Amino acid sequence: MEIIEVIENKKDYIELLLLADEQEDMIDRYLDKGKMYVLNDNGIKCECVVTNEGNGVLEIKNIATVPEYQGKGYAKAMIDFIITKYGEEYSTLQVGTGDSLSTIPFYEKCGFVRSHIISNFFTDNYNHPIYEEGIQLVDMVYLKRVL
Ligand SMILES: CC(C)(COP(=O)(O)OP(=O)(O)OC[C@H]1O[C@@H](n2cnc3c(N)ncnc32)[C@H](O)[C@@H]1OP(=O)(O)O)[C@@H](O)C(=O)NCCC(=O)NCCS
């Protein structure tokens, strides 16, 4: 298993990016400025994009595992890689996500704790309602962990 930085043609992984963030112009807000990594284990299984938010804060903007390979530890391995790679350079790793049982328990398993909410983020910023597990996402929930 290896994790490789993607420098060019990040949109080659658009299918995975859209799994985590279903509106492409929202992905465009962070893809260029972000650092992108892919996990290769007999093929690409997981991708992640992180951005420097200033003041020692690194943010996970997008993380997704190929559906058939979810639940096998690939995204956790990606988070562990990010923690090791950026642990000395940054003090906090944060992530914003919908209030959904398909994502928050994953981050909690990875050591993140709920930090704050941005009210109406999904309804204000996306051009269509976003549903996860049949529930419309409204607020962005931020979770953090110390690096
Ligand atoms: C969220 C996501 C990235 C997790 O990836 P994954 O590779 O399946 O996660 P892992 O296998 O590394 O899981 C790590 C741990 O979290 C747990 N976990 C993962 N998803 C979970 C869920 N929905 N509910 C409860 N626990 C979950 C796993 O059971 C595992 O626990 P363990 O260490 O005790 O075995 C994946 O489900 C995904 O790609 N979802 C679609 C895209 C998305 O929503 N991305 C996040 C946007 S904010």
Side-chain angles (χ1 to χ4, degrees):
M1 186 179 90
E2 56 174 352
I3 293 178
I4 314 152
E5 184 175 358
V6 179
I7 309 282
E8 291 180 326
N9 303 323
K10 294 175 180 174
K11 289 263 177 108
D12 284 357
Y13 302 100
I14 191 67
E15 223 175 295
L16 270 176
L17 288 161
L18 287 167
L19 263 188
D21 195 348
E22 65 183 56
Q23 191 173 310
E24 192 165 341
D25 62 6
M26 293 298 284
I27 294 171
D28 292 337
R29 290 190 186 184
Y30 53 76
L31 194 58
D32 277 352
K33 69 170 176 166
K35 294 253 188 201
M36 183 177 195
Y37 297 94
V38 289
L39 182 154
N40 184 5
D41 185 24
N42 287 317
I44 301 303
K45 301 297 194 280
C46 181
E47 66 65 38
C48 181
V49 180
V50 293
T51 54
N52 176 358
E53 297 296 310
N55 296 320
V57 177
L58 184 70
E59 181 164 334
I60 296 171
K61 290 289 189 185
N62 192 304
I63 183 165
T65 299
V66 175
E68 304 90 284
Y69 296 98
Q70 289 177 5
K72 297 182 185 301
Y74 286 124
K76 172 94 170 31
M78 182 65 91
I79 300 268
D80 289 344
F81 165 83
I82 297 290
I83 289 167
T84 304
K85 183 165 181 63
Y86 290 102
E88 284 183 7
E89 203 181 329
Y90 291 85
S91 56
T92 303
L93 182 60
Q94 72 177 22
V95 64
T97 183
D99 197 353
S100 165
L101 283 175
S102 60
T103 53
I104 290 184
F106 161 70
Y107 291 117
E108 288 175 338
K109 272 276 165 97
C110 293
F112 290 78
V113 292
R114 283 176 185 252
S115 152
H116 61 281
I117 277 174
I118 300 186
S119 296
N120 303 319
F121 180 85
F122 288 96
T123 42
D124 284 349
N125 286 282
Y126 286 77
N127 63 18
H128 65 289
I130 312 277
Y131 288 91
E132 255 177 45
E133 314 257 313
I135 295 167
Q136 187 181 353
L137 303 186
V138 178
D139 303 331
M140 175 86 99
V141 178
Y142 267 89
L143 298 101
K144 290 187 178 176
R145 61 157 292 164
V146 171
L147 277 179

